[in-house]
mmCIF file of all heavy atoms in Angstrom:
data_model
loop_
_atom_site.group_PDB
_atom_site.id
_atom_site.type_symbol
_atom_site.label_atom_id
_atom_site.label_comp_id
_atom_site.label_asym_id
_atom_site.label_seq_id
_atom_site.Cartn_x
_atom_site.Cartn_y
_atom_site.Cartn_z
ATOM 1 N N MET A 1436 34.129 180.702 79.921
ATOM 2 C CA MET A 1436 35.570 180.595 79.910
ATOM 3 C C MET A 1436 35.930 179.659 80.992
ATOM 4 O O MET A 1436 35.384 179.657 82.087
ATOM 5 C CB MET A 1436 36.137 182.001 80.132
ATOM 6 C CG MET A 1436 37.680 182.051 80.456
ATOM 7 S SD MET A 1436 38.898 182.042 79.134
ATOM 8 C CE MET A 1436 38.210 182.782 77.732
ATOM 9 N N ASN A 1437 36.904 178.803 80.672
ATOM 10 C CA ASN A 1437 37.398 177.798 81.692
ATOM 11 C C ASN A 1437 38.795 178.094 82.086
ATOM 12 O O ASN A 1437 39.587 178.726 81.368
ATOM 13 C CB ASN A 1437 37.370 176.395 81.063
ATOM 14 C CG ASN A 1437 35.947 175.909 80.882
ATOM 15 O OD1 ASN A 1437 34.990 176.555 81.202
ATOM 16 N ND2 ASN A 1437 35.795 174.762 80.317
ATOM 17 N N CYS A 1438 39.124 177.708 83.313
ATOM 18 C CA CYS A 1438 40.508 177.908 83.876
ATOM 19 C C CYS A 1438 41.459 177.070 83.019
ATOM 20 O O CYS A 1438 41.240 175.886 82.845
ATOM 21 C CB CYS A 1438 40.492 177.464 85.303
ATOM 22 S SG CYS A 1438 42.140 177.477 86.059
ATOM 23 N N PRO A 1439 42.564 177.716 82.561
ATOM 24 C CA PRO A 1439 43.584 177.004 81.742
ATOM 25 C C PRO A 1439 44.350 175.980 82.627
ATOM 26 O O PRO A 1439 44.987 175.093 82.039
ATOM 27 C CB PRO A 1439 44.490 178.054 81.196
ATOM 28 C CG PRO A 1439 44.277 179.263 82.061
ATOM 29 C CD PRO A 1439 42.912 179.118 82.660
ATOM 30 N N GLU A 1440 44.301 176.031 83.942
ATOM 31 C CA GLU A 1440 44.981 175.165 84.831
ATOM 32 C C GLU A 1440 44.185 173.931 85.163
ATOM 33 O O GLU A 1440 44.638 172.772 85.076
ATOM 34 C CB GLU A 1440 45.386 175.896 86.108
ATOM 35 C CG GLU A 1440 46.228 175.123 87.054
ATOM 36 C CD GLU A 1440 47.643 174.853 86.597
ATOM 37 O OE1 GLU A 1440 48.052 175.422 85.553
ATOM 38 O OE2 GLU A 1440 48.334 173.997 87.239
ATOM 39 N N CYS A 1441 42.907 174.124 85.657
ATOM 40 C CA CYS A 1441 42.107 172.996 86.106
ATOM 41 C C CYS A 1441 40.834 172.755 85.331
ATOM 42 O O CYS A 1441 40.090 171.846 85.603
ATOM 43 C CB CYS A 1441 41.743 173.218 87.597
ATOM 44 S SG CYS A 1441 40.599 174.520 87.859
ATOM 45 N N ASP A 1442 40.538 173.668 84.319
ATOM 46 C CA ASP A 1442 39.379 173.515 83.480
ATOM 47 C C ASP A 1442 38.084 173.797 84.137
ATOM 48 O O ASP A 1442 37.033 173.471 83.603
ATOM 49 C CB ASP A 1442 39.333 172.126 82.773
ATOM 50 C CG ASP A 1442 38.592 172.222 81.423
ATOM 51 O OD1 ASP A 1442 38.638 173.254 80.791
ATOM 52 O OD2 ASP A 1442 37.921 171.199 81.104
ATOM 53 N N ALA A 1443 38.063 174.391 85.320
ATOM 54 C CA ALA A 1443 36.846 174.787 85.984
ATOM 55 C C ALA A 1443 36.213 175.982 85.261
ATOM 56 O O ALA A 1443 36.892 176.794 84.647
ATOM 57 C CB ALA A 1443 37.144 175.196 87.465
ATOM 58 N N THR A 1444 34.864 176.049 85.334
ATOM 59 C CA THR A 1444 34.207 177.160 84.725
ATOM 60 C C THR A 1444 34.386 178.389 85.534
ATOM 61 O O THR A 1444 34.208 178.399 86.764
ATOM 62 C CB THR A 1444 32.662 176.819 84.611
ATOM 63 O OG1 THR A 1444 32.525 175.666 83.815
ATOM 64 C CG2 THR A 1444 31.894 177.982 83.990
ATOM 65 N N LEU A 1445 34.819 179.461 84.902
ATOM 66 C CA LEU A 1445 35.081 180.727 85.618
ATOM 67 C C LEU A 1445 33.939 181.705 85.463
ATOM 68 O O LEU A 1445 33.309 181.788 84.378
ATOM 69 C CB LEU A 1445 36.355 181.399 85.077
ATOM 70 C CG LEU A 1445 37.614 180.604 85.171
ATOM 71 C CD1 LEU A 1445 38.782 181.260 84.378
ATOM 72 C CD2 LEU A 1445 38.064 180.406 86.601
ATOM 73 N N THR A 1446 33.632 182.423 86.535
ATOM 74 C CA THR A 1446 32.660 183.512 86.474
ATOM 75 C C THR A 1446 33.442 184.807 86.500
ATOM 76 O O THR A 1446 34.147 185.112 87.509
ATOM 77 C CB THR A 1446 31.666 183.441 87.682
ATOM 78 O OG1 THR A 1446 31.009 182.167 87.662
ATOM 79 C CG2 THR A 1446 30.662 184.539 87.594
ATOM 80 N N LEU A 1447 33.428 185.509 85.401
ATOM 81 C CA LEU A 1447 34.232 186.707 85.251
ATOM 82 C C LEU A 1447 33.439 187.994 85.082
ATOM 83 O O LEU A 1447 32.345 187.918 84.524
ATOM 84 C CB LEU A 1447 35.180 186.559 84.070
ATOM 85 C CG LEU A 1447 36.040 185.313 84.117
ATOM 86 C CD1 LEU A 1447 36.773 185.131 82.763
ATOM 87 C CD2 LEU A 1447 37.140 185.425 85.166
ATOM 88 N N ASP A 1448 33.944 189.098 85.573
ATOM 89 C CA ASP A 1448 33.330 190.379 85.356
ATOM 90 C C ASP A 1448 33.399 190.772 83.904
ATOM 91 O O ASP A 1448 34.285 190.372 83.187
ATOM 92 C CB ASP A 1448 34.013 191.478 86.222
ATOM 93 C CG ASP A 1448 33.784 191.266 87.690
ATOM 94 O OD1 ASP A 1448 32.801 190.645 88.050
ATOM 95 O OD2 ASP A 1448 34.621 191.734 88.503
ATOM 96 N N ALA A 1449 32.461 191.510 83.449
ATOM 97 C CA ALA A 1449 32.418 191.938 82.022
ATOM 98 C C ALA A 1449 33.413 193.076 81.740
ATOM 99 O O ALA A 1449 33.757 193.265 80.558
ATOM 100 C CB ALA A 1449 31.018 192.358 81.665
ATOM 101 N N ASP A 1450 33.909 193.715 82.760
ATOM 102 C CA ASP A 1450 34.761 194.878 82.523
ATOM 103 C C ASP A 1450 36.233 194.559 82.816
ATOM 104 O O ASP A 1450 37.008 195.419 83.329
ATOM 105 C CB ASP A 1450 34.328 196.065 83.374
ATOM 106 C CG ASP A 1450 34.254 195.772 84.856
ATOM 107 O OD1 ASP A 1450 34.426 194.556 85.256
ATOM 108 O OD2 ASP A 1450 34.083 196.705 85.628
ATOM 109 N N LEU A 1451 36.694 193.405 82.537
ATOM 110 C CA LEU A 1451 38.082 193.029 82.735
ATOM 111 C C LEU A 1451 38.998 193.857 81.813
ATOM 112 O O LEU A 1451 38.591 194.232 80.686
ATOM 113 C CB LEU A 1451 38.334 191.547 82.444
ATOM 114 C CG LEU A 1451 37.695 190.588 83.429
ATOM 115 C CD1 LEU A 1451 37.789 189.118 82.922
ATOM 116 C CD2 LEU A 1451 38.277 190.682 84.800
ATOM 117 N N ILE A 1452 40.216 194.126 82.265
ATOM 118 C CA ILE A 1452 41.172 194.834 81.390
ATOM 119 C C ILE A 1452 42.416 193.994 81.261
ATOM 120 O O ILE A 1452 42.688 193.136 82.090
ATOM 121 C CB ILE A 1452 41.523 196.230 82.034
ATOM 122 C CG1 ILE A 1452 42.062 196.083 83.394
ATOM 123 C CG2 ILE A 1452 40.346 197.117 82.043
ATOM 124 C CD1 ILE A 1452 42.657 197.325 84.056
ATOM 125 N N GLU A 1453 43.168 194.245 80.157
ATOM 126 C CA GLU A 1453 44.360 193.490 79.961
ATOM 127 C C GLU A 1453 45.364 193.736 81.105
ATOM 128 O O GLU A 1453 45.523 194.814 81.572
ATOM 129 C CB GLU A 1453 45.035 193.882 78.609
ATOM 130 C CG GLU A 1453 44.302 193.336 77.423
ATOM 131 C CD GLU A 1453 44.998 193.570 76.127
ATOM 132 O OE1 GLU A 1453 46.236 193.718 76.153
ATOM 133 O OE2 GLU A 1453 44.353 193.685 75.064
ATOM 134 N N GLY A 1454 45.976 192.623 81.545
ATOM 135 C CA GLY A 1454 46.961 192.701 82.582
ATOM 136 C C GLY A 1454 46.313 192.407 83.951
ATOM 137 O O GLY A 1454 47.029 192.288 84.916
ATOM 138 N N GLU A 1455 44.992 192.426 84.050
ATOM 139 C CA GLU A 1455 44.323 192.196 85.306
ATOM 140 C C GLU A 1455 44.577 190.737 85.756
ATOM 141 O O GLU A 1455 44.601 189.841 84.926
ATOM 142 C CB GLU A 1455 42.810 192.505 85.178
ATOM 143 C CG GLU A 1455 42.093 192.455 86.496
ATOM 144 C CD GLU A 1455 40.668 193.015 86.355
ATOM 145 O OE1 GLU A 1455 40.336 193.592 85.350
ATOM 146 O OE2 GLU A 1455 39.914 192.812 87.303
ATOM 147 N N ILE A 1456 44.736 190.546 87.040
ATOM 148 C CA ILE A 1456 44.929 189.194 87.563
ATOM 149 C C ILE A 1456 43.568 188.759 88.217
ATOM 150 O O ILE A 1456 43.032 189.428 89.046
ATOM 151 C CB ILE A 1456 46.029 189.210 88.680
ATOM 152 C CG1 ILE A 1456 47.353 189.673 88.061
ATOM 153 C CG2 ILE A 1456 46.182 187.771 89.210
ATOM 154 C CD1 ILE A 1456 47.915 188.812 86.975
ATOM 155 N N VAL A 1457 43.113 187.574 87.832
ATOM 156 C CA VAL A 1457 41.866 187.035 88.400
ATOM 157 C C VAL A 1457 42.237 185.669 88.974
ATOM 158 O O VAL A 1457 42.955 184.860 88.361
ATOM 159 C CB VAL A 1457 40.750 186.968 87.393
ATOM 160 C CG1 VAL A 1457 40.275 188.358 86.988
ATOM 161 C CG2 VAL A 1457 41.136 186.126 86.179
ATOM 162 N N PRO A 1458 41.712 185.353 90.133
ATOM 163 C CA PRO A 1458 41.977 183.997 90.729
ATOM 164 C C PRO A 1458 40.956 183.015 90.282
ATOM 165 O O PRO A 1458 39.784 183.324 90.055
ATOM 166 C CB PRO A 1458 41.879 184.252 92.242
ATOM 167 C CG PRO A 1458 40.872 185.412 92.329
ATOM 168 C CD PRO A 1458 41.101 186.238 91.111
ATOM 169 N N CYS A 1459 41.349 181.748 90.157
ATOM 170 C CA CYS A 1459 40.383 180.670 89.940
ATOM 171 C C CYS A 1459 39.846 180.225 91.268
ATOM 172 O O CYS A 1459 40.674 179.862 92.157
ATOM 173 C CB CYS A 1459 41.085 179.474 89.202
ATOM 174 S SG CYS A 1459 40.014 178.037 89.029
ATOM 175 N N ALA A 1460 38.533 180.167 91.458
ATOM 176 C CA ALA A 1460 37.947 179.809 92.722
ATOM 177 C C ALA A 1460 38.159 178.401 93.044
ATOM 178 O O ALA A 1460 38.164 177.975 94.218
ATOM 179 C CB ALA A 1460 36.457 180.143 92.739
ATOM 180 N N ASP A 1461 38.346 177.548 92.082
ATOM 181 C CA ASP A 1461 38.510 176.073 92.269
ATOM 182 C C ASP A 1461 39.918 175.706 92.661
ATOM 183 O O ASP A 1461 40.159 175.029 93.685
ATOM 184 C CB ASP A 1461 38.056 175.286 91.047
ATOM 185 C CG ASP A 1461 36.563 175.123 91.007
ATOM 186 O OD1 ASP A 1461 35.849 175.856 91.650
ATOM 187 O OD2 ASP A 1461 36.133 174.229 90.239
ATOM 188 N N CYS A 1462 40.904 176.096 91.832
ATOM 189 C CA CYS A 1462 42.263 175.620 92.124
ATOM 190 C C CYS A 1462 43.175 176.734 92.728
ATOM 191 O O CYS A 1462 44.249 176.442 93.139
ATOM 192 C CB CYS A 1462 42.916 175.076 90.857
ATOM 193 S SG CYS A 1462 43.271 176.304 89.604
ATOM 194 N N GLY A 1463 42.690 178.027 92.747
ATOM 195 C CA GLY A 1463 43.495 179.055 93.316
ATOM 196 C C GLY A 1463 44.586 179.609 92.402
ATOM 197 O O GLY A 1463 45.281 180.509 92.787
ATOM 198 N N ALA A 1464 44.636 179.134 91.143
ATOM 199 C CA ALA A 1464 45.607 179.683 90.200
ATOM 200 C C ALA A 1464 45.355 181.169 89.922
ATOM 201 O O ALA A 1464 44.214 181.549 89.897
ATOM 202 C CB ALA A 1464 45.582 178.875 88.946
ATOM 203 N N GLU A 1465 46.429 181.932 89.798
ATOM 204 C CA GLU A 1465 46.236 183.367 89.423
ATOM 205 C C GLU A 1465 46.356 183.372 87.917
ATOM 206 O O GLU A 1465 47.367 182.932 87.348
ATOM 207 C CB GLU A 1465 47.331 184.157 90.104
ATOM 208 C CG GLU A 1465 47.171 184.259 91.624
ATOM 209 C CD GLU A 1465 48.061 185.252 92.275
ATOM 210 O OE1 GLU A 1465 49.118 185.540 91.702
ATOM 211 O OE2 GLU A 1465 47.749 185.755 93.387
ATOM 212 N N LEU A 1466 45.358 183.966 87.303
ATOM 213 C CA LEU A 1466 45.248 184.076 85.844
ATOM 214 C C LEU A 1466 45.355 185.530 85.425
ATOM 215 O O LEU A 1466 44.715 186.374 85.934
ATOM 216 C CB LEU A 1466 43.954 183.453 85.427
ATOM 217 C CG LEU A 1466 43.688 182.058 85.920
ATOM 218 C CD1 LEU A 1466 42.236 181.607 85.657
ATOM 219 C CD2 LEU A 1466 44.692 181.018 85.383
ATOM 220 N N GLU A 1467 46.128 185.768 84.400
ATOM 221 C CA GLU A 1467 46.282 187.083 83.853
ATOM 222 C C GLU A 1467 45.438 187.227 82.568
ATOM 223 O O GLU A 1467 45.458 186.353 81.691
ATOM 224 C CB GLU A 1467 47.735 187.359 83.501
ATOM 225 C CG GLU A 1467 47.999 188.762 82.946
ATOM 226 C CD GLU A 1467 49.421 189.017 82.637
ATOM 227 O OE1 GLU A 1467 50.295 188.089 82.775
ATOM 228 O OE2 GLU A 1467 49.786 190.150 82.360
ATOM 229 N N VAL A 1468 44.735 188.330 82.425
ATOM 230 C CA VAL A 1468 44.014 188.648 81.253
ATOM 231 C C VAL A 1468 44.985 189.102 80.229
ATOM 232 O O VAL A 1468 45.599 190.130 80.416
ATOM 233 C CB VAL A 1468 42.929 189.738 81.497
ATOM 234 C CG1 VAL A 1468 42.207 190.071 80.206
ATOM 235 C CG2 VAL A 1468 41.953 189.305 82.573
ATOM 236 N N ILE A 1469 45.173 188.294 79.181
ATOM 237 C CA ILE A 1469 46.199 188.640 78.136
ATOM 238 C C ILE A 1469 45.520 189.319 76.902
ATOM 239 O O ILE A 1469 46.191 189.891 76.107
ATOM 240 C CB ILE A 1469 47.027 187.504 77.740
ATOM 241 C CG1 ILE A 1469 46.183 186.335 77.254
ATOM 242 C CG2 ILE A 1469 47.942 187.053 78.859
ATOM 243 C CD1 ILE A 1469 47.010 185.140 76.681
ATOM 244 N N ALA A 1470 44.179 189.200 76.769
ATOM 245 C CA ALA A 1470 43.448 189.878 75.711
ATOM 246 C C ALA A 1470 42.001 189.947 76.188
ATOM 247 O O ALA A 1470 41.485 189.138 76.910
ATOM 248 C CB ALA A 1470 43.566 189.086 74.450
ATOM 249 N N THR A 1471 41.301 190.932 75.686
ATOM 250 C CA THR A 1471 39.907 191.144 76.031
ATOM 251 C C THR A 1471 38.938 190.859 74.861
ATOM 252 O O THR A 1471 37.795 190.609 75.015
ATOM 253 C CB THR A 1471 39.619 192.543 76.591
ATOM 254 O OG1 THR A 1471 40.069 193.538 75.614
ATOM 255 C CG2 THR A 1471 40.355 192.777 77.868
ATOM 256 N N GLN A 1472 39.446 191.003 73.640
ATOM 257 C CA GLN A 1472 38.645 190.798 72.442
ATOM 258 C C GLN A 1472 39.356 189.859 71.477
ATOM 259 O O GLN A 1472 40.086 190.352 70.615
ATOM 260 C CB GLN A 1472 38.276 192.117 71.795
ATOM 261 C CG GLN A 1472 37.442 193.050 72.570
ATOM 262 C CD GLN A 1472 36.049 192.477 72.864
ATOM 263 O OE1 GLN A 1472 35.498 191.781 72.021
ATOM 264 N NE2 GLN A 1472 35.529 192.780 74.045
ATOM 265 N N PRO A 1473 39.116 188.595 71.471
ATOM 266 C CA PRO A 1473 38.308 187.849 72.431
ATOM 267 C C PRO A 1473 39.069 187.671 73.739
ATOM 268 O O PRO A 1473 40.332 187.796 73.765
ATOM 269 C CB PRO A 1473 38.083 186.498 71.739
ATOM 270 C CG PRO A 1473 39.299 186.335 70.893
ATOM 271 C CD PRO A 1473 39.692 187.709 70.453
ATOM 272 N N LEU A 1474 38.352 187.340 74.827
ATOM 273 C CA LEU A 1474 38.877 187.191 76.124
ATOM 274 C C LEU A 1474 39.861 185.965 76.125
ATOM 275 O O LEU A 1474 39.502 184.918 75.600
ATOM 276 C CB LEU A 1474 37.789 186.949 77.121
ATOM 277 C CG LEU A 1474 38.252 186.813 78.644
ATOM 278 C CD1 LEU A 1474 39.000 188.052 79.069
ATOM 279 C CD2 LEU A 1474 37.102 186.491 79.493
ATOM 280 N N ALA A 1475 41.046 186.241 76.621
ATOM 281 C CA ALA A 1475 42.076 185.123 76.741
ATOM 282 C C ALA A 1475 42.733 185.274 78.073
ATOM 283 O O ALA A 1475 43.088 186.365 78.510
ATOM 284 C CB ALA A 1475 43.051 185.232 75.596
ATOM 285 N N LEU A 1476 42.950 184.114 78.722
ATOM 286 C CA LEU A 1476 43.591 184.085 80.018
ATOM 287 C C LEU A 1476 44.824 183.160 79.952
ATOM 288 O O LEU A 1476 44.774 182.198 79.147
ATOM 289 C CB LEU A 1476 42.638 183.536 81.100
ATOM 290 C CG LEU A 1476 41.372 184.298 81.369
ATOM 291 C CD1 LEU A 1476 40.465 183.520 82.323
ATOM 292 C CD2 LEU A 1476 41.663 185.650 81.948
ATOM 293 N N ALA A 1477 45.822 183.449 80.752
ATOM 294 C CA ALA A 1477 46.965 182.558 80.899
ATOM 295 C C ALA A 1477 47.387 182.534 82.324
ATOM 296 O O ALA A 1477 47.031 183.501 83.097
ATOM 297 C CB ALA A 1477 48.110 183.097 79.990
ATOM 298 N N LEU A 1478 48.149 181.608 82.711
ATOM 299 C CA LEU A 1478 48.682 181.580 84.069
ATOM 300 C C LEU A 1478 49.549 182.843 84.272
ATOM 301 O O LEU A 1478 50.359 183.121 83.421
ATOM 302 C CB LEU A 1478 49.480 180.364 84.357
ATOM 303 C CG LEU A 1478 48.710 179.018 84.441
ATOM 304 C CD1 LEU A 1478 49.636 177.823 84.574
ATOM 305 C CD2 LEU A 1478 47.759 179.079 85.649
ATOM 306 N N ALA A 1479 49.326 183.493 85.413
ATOM 307 C CA ALA A 1479 50.067 184.688 85.711
ATOM 308 C C ALA A 1479 51.528 184.307 86.058
ATOM 309 O O ALA A 1479 51.759 183.299 86.747
ATOM 310 C CB ALA A 1479 49.483 185.464 86.830
ATOM 311 N N PRO A 1480 52.507 185.080 85.582
ATOM 312 C CA PRO A 1480 53.893 184.731 85.964
ATOM 313 C C PRO A 1480 54.071 184.962 87.458
ATOM 314 O O PRO A 1480 53.522 185.841 88.052
ATOM 315 C CB PRO A 1480 54.705 185.731 85.147
ATOM 316 C CG PRO A 1480 53.788 186.839 84.794
ATOM 317 C CD PRO A 1480 52.421 186.267 84.728
ATOM 318 N N GLU A 1481 54.855 184.045 88.022
ATOM 319 C CA GLU A 1481 55.202 184.166 89.451
ATOM 320 C C GLU A 1481 56.214 185.269 89.624
ATOM 321 O O GLU A 1481 57.168 185.388 88.851
ATOM 322 C CB GLU A 1481 55.676 182.871 90.043
ATOM 323 C CG GLU A 1481 54.594 181.803 90.050
ATOM 324 C CD GLU A 1481 55.024 180.548 90.764
ATOM 325 O OE1 GLU A 1481 55.948 180.682 91.631
ATOM 326 O OE2 GLU A 1481 54.558 179.487 90.411
ATOM 327 N N ILE A 1482 56.055 186.060 90.665
ATOM 328 C CA ILE A 1482 57.021 187.086 90.915
ATOM 329 C C ILE A 1482 58.231 186.486 91.610
ATOM 330 O O ILE A 1482 58.083 185.712 92.615
ATOM 331 C CB ILE A 1482 56.417 188.212 91.887
ATOM 332 C CG1 ILE A 1482 55.248 188.818 91.149
ATOM 333 C CG2 ILE A 1482 57.490 189.190 92.263
ATOM 334 C CD1 ILE A 1482 54.493 189.818 92.003
ATOM 335 N N GLU A 1483 59.365 186.735 91.070
ATOM 336 C CA GLU A 1483 60.584 186.143 91.652
ATOM 337 C C GLU A 1483 61.276 187.176 92.520
ATOM 338 O O GLU A 1483 61.238 188.374 92.308
ATOM 339 C CB GLU A 1483 61.597 185.765 90.513
ATOM 340 C CG GLU A 1483 61.009 184.682 89.610
ATOM 341 C CD GLU A 1483 61.956 184.263 88.495
ATOM 342 O OE1 GLU A 1483 63.120 184.646 88.576
ATOM 343 O OE2 GLU A 1483 61.496 183.559 87.600
ATOM 344 N N GLU A 1484 61.853 186.687 93.555
ATOM 345 C CA GLU A 1484 62.592 187.564 94.475
ATOM 346 C C GLU A 1484 63.858 188.074 93.808
ATOM 347 O O GLU A 1484 64.569 187.380 93.114
ATOM 348 C CB GLU A 1484 62.962 186.798 95.755
ATOM 349 C CG GLU A 1484 61.789 186.360 96.542
ATOM 350 C CD GLU A 1484 61.145 187.500 97.323
ATOM 351 O OE1 GLU A 1484 61.839 188.548 97.553
ATOM 352 O OE2 GLU A 1484 59.954 187.413 97.605
ATOM 353 N N ASP A 1485 64.075 189.363 94.030
ATOM 354 C CA ASP A 1485 65.342 190.002 93.521
ATOM 355 C C ASP A 1485 66.089 190.424 94.754
ATOM 356 O O ASP A 1485 65.757 191.340 95.472
ATOM 357 C CB ASP A 1485 64.981 191.208 92.650
ATOM 358 C CG ASP A 1485 66.228 191.887 92.170
ATOM 359 O OD1 ASP A 1485 67.353 191.354 92.393
ATOM 360 O OD2 ASP A 1485 66.097 192.949 91.498
ATOM 361 N N TRP A 1486 67.133 189.714 95.036
ATOM 362 C CA TRP A 1486 67.911 189.964 96.260
ATOM 363 C C TRP A 1486 68.986 190.940 95.981
ATOM 364 O O TRP A 1486 70.025 190.976 96.725
ATOM 365 C CB TRP A 1486 68.485 188.661 96.778
ATOM 366 C CG TRP A 1486 67.391 187.739 97.174
ATOM 367 C CD1 TRP A 1486 66.924 186.647 96.433
ATOM 368 C CD2 TRP A 1486 66.607 187.742 98.365
ATOM 369 N NE1 TRP A 1486 65.891 186.063 97.087
ATOM 370 C CE2 TRP A 1486 65.692 186.676 98.279
ATOM 371 C CE3 TRP A 1486 66.553 188.554 99.480
ATOM 372 C CZ2 TRP A 1486 64.743 186.413 99.291
ATOM 373 C CZ3 TRP A 1486 65.645 188.314 100.473
ATOM 374 C CH2 TRP A 1486 64.750 187.246 100.357
ATOM 375 N N GLY A 1487 68.839 191.855 95.044
ATOM 376 C CA GLY A 1487 69.785 192.851 94.826
ATOM 377 C C GLY A 1487 71.022 192.397 94.019
ATOM 378 O O GLY A 1487 72.031 193.069 93.973
ATOM 379 N N GLU A 1488 70.909 191.289 93.344
ATOM 380 C CA GLU A 1488 72.042 190.796 92.535
ATOM 381 C C GLU A 1488 71.933 191.280 91.152
ATOM 382 O O GLU A 1488 70.994 191.561 90.592
ATOM 383 C CB GLU A 1488 72.007 189.282 92.538
ATOM 384 C CG GLU A 1488 72.200 188.699 93.939
ATOM 385 C CD GLU A 1488 72.115 187.161 94.005
ATOM 386 O OE1 GLU A 1488 72.061 186.553 92.923
ATOM 387 O OE2 GLU A 1488 72.059 186.635 95.107
#
């Protein structure tokens, strides 16, 4: 599996679960596991600040 951001080869654990966040060691992008069968990754959404509005 390659990083969807920088295309680096990722070394991933076999027991990943959907919703888990894994970092790319090369570019530092946070990747979310969106499916496990087959394995699919996407850039994790950035958390936005909620200032009580």
Side-chain angles (χ1 to χ4, degrees):
M1436 169 81 32
N1437 291 356
C1438 174
E1440 182 72 8
C1441 70
D1442 204 34
T1444 301
L1445 300 171
T1446 302
L1447 302 170
D1448 293 335
D1450 59 348
L1451 293 173
I1452 58 173
E1453 285 187 27
E1455 189 169 347
I1456 303 295
V1457 293
C1459 173
D1461 278 17
C1462 70
E1465 292 187 337
L1466 308 170
E1467 181 178 6
V1468 178
I1469 56 174
T1471 56
Q1472 295 295 327
L1474 182 61
L1476 299 173
L1478 289 175
E1481 292 186 27
I1482 298 173
E1483 297 180 13
E1484 293 288 335
D1485 179 5
W1486 298 99
E1488 297 177 9

